[in-house]
Amino acid sequence: YDTFEELHLYCYRVAGTVGLMSMPVFGCAPGYTEAEAKEPALSLGVAFQLTNILRDVGEDAVKRGRVYLPREDMEKFGVTEEQIFARRVDDNYVALMKYQIERARMYYDRALRGVPMLSEYSRLPVQSSLDCYGKILDKIEKNGYDSLNQRAYVSKWEKLAEIPFSWYRTLDIAKILPLPGDK
């Protein structure tokens, strides 16, 4: 993809639409409409797909011969496709990954606004997915932004341990008394 706009369209098509299709299944909370929940649902799909792309940069290059990162961003940070195919992490690559992670987190923030718009019984699975998938970005950071040679993942036990925190975040009290680190 030459630009982020092109990559965003790809993310919309492969993942954003899943969010849209899920909305009627999840249902909306009283006082909200599907029209209001549309943008957060799309943002969640885009956040998930961007996370997949960032997690799999090395794997996509080696196994699929493909680089999904926007060329304009790569050029901006001085990263080449040859470098990615060679799996060479340097300061430029780290800066590019920091930039891309920040962008992905922006979409997670947009998606987070949609959780209260969901029916009460649908909030936990969406919040839990949002929390656990977002932790992949944390793992990329902990791996020194090396997604060329290391695959960032959240273990089953880490996901299970996250569920109580995700549940708490779905409660109204979490807005008044947020968990440490929450906004």
Side-chain angles (χ1 to χ4, degrees):
Y1 300 94
D2 289 326
T3 66
F4 178 71
E5 289 73 26
E6 291 173 1
L7 179 61
H8 185 273
L9 180 60
Y10 166 77
C11 292
Y12 165 79
R13 288 176 173 164
V14 300
T17 53
V18 174
L20 291 179
M21 291 186 310
S22 301
M23 284 175 29
V25 175
F26 290 140
C28 288
Y32 292 102
T33 65
E34 284 188 20
E36 292 170 301
K38 180 180 177 181
E39 193 275 331
L42 286 170
S43 291
L44 185 61
V46 171
F48 285 174
Q49 190 60 35
L50 288 174
T51 300
N52 287 340
I53 290 166
L54 299 178
R55 177 194 63 202
D56 298 339
V57 176
E59 185 178 318
D60 286 337
V62 171
K63 292 184 179 178
R64 293 171 191 83
R66 185 99 169 105
V67 176
Y68 288 90
L69 298 172
R71 284 183 192 88
E72 70 179 0
D73 293 345
M74 291 172 55
E75 289 172 11
K76 176 180 174 181
F77 288 95
V79 175
T80 65
E81 284 192 3
E82 293 78 21
Q83 174 183 351
I84 289 175
F85 287 116
R87 299 177 112 167
R88 209 172 51 248
V89 177
D90 62 10
D91 291 342
N92 293 347
Y93 183 79
V94 169
L96 172 65
M97 289 303 291
K98 287 180 179 180
Y99 178 78
Q100 298 298 333
I101 287 171
E102 183 180 324
R103 176 184 279 156
R105 285 192 172 128
M106 178 192 68
Y107 283 94
Y108 278 98
D109 288 344
R110 290 178 180 175
L112 187 60
R113 294 193 313 249
V115 175
M117 297 178 187
L118 297 171
S119 69
E120 183 179 344
Y121 300 104
S122 298
R123 292 176 191 162
L124 179 57
V126 172
Q127 182 69 54
S128 181
S129 297
L130 199 152
D131 292 340
C132 291
Y133 229 77
K135 286 192 173 296
I136 294 171
L137 299 176
D138 298 339
K139 296 287 185 162
I140 294 171
E141 291 172 329
K142 287 180 183 170
N143 289 344
Y145 300 93
D146 182 2
S147 59
L148 295 175
N149 303 292
Q150 300 180 59
R151 183 175 172 93
Y153 69 94
V154 179
S155 74
K156 175 176 38 174
W157 295 111
E158 289 172 302
K159 292 174 190 172
L160 286 170
E162 189 64 29
I163 292 172
F165 298 103
S166 296
W167 169 76
Y168 182 80
R169 288 182 183 108
T170 67
L171 304 176
D172 289 337
I173 190 139
K175 295 174 190 152
I176 300 165
L177 296 170
L179 293 170
D182 286 357
K183 296 176 184 173

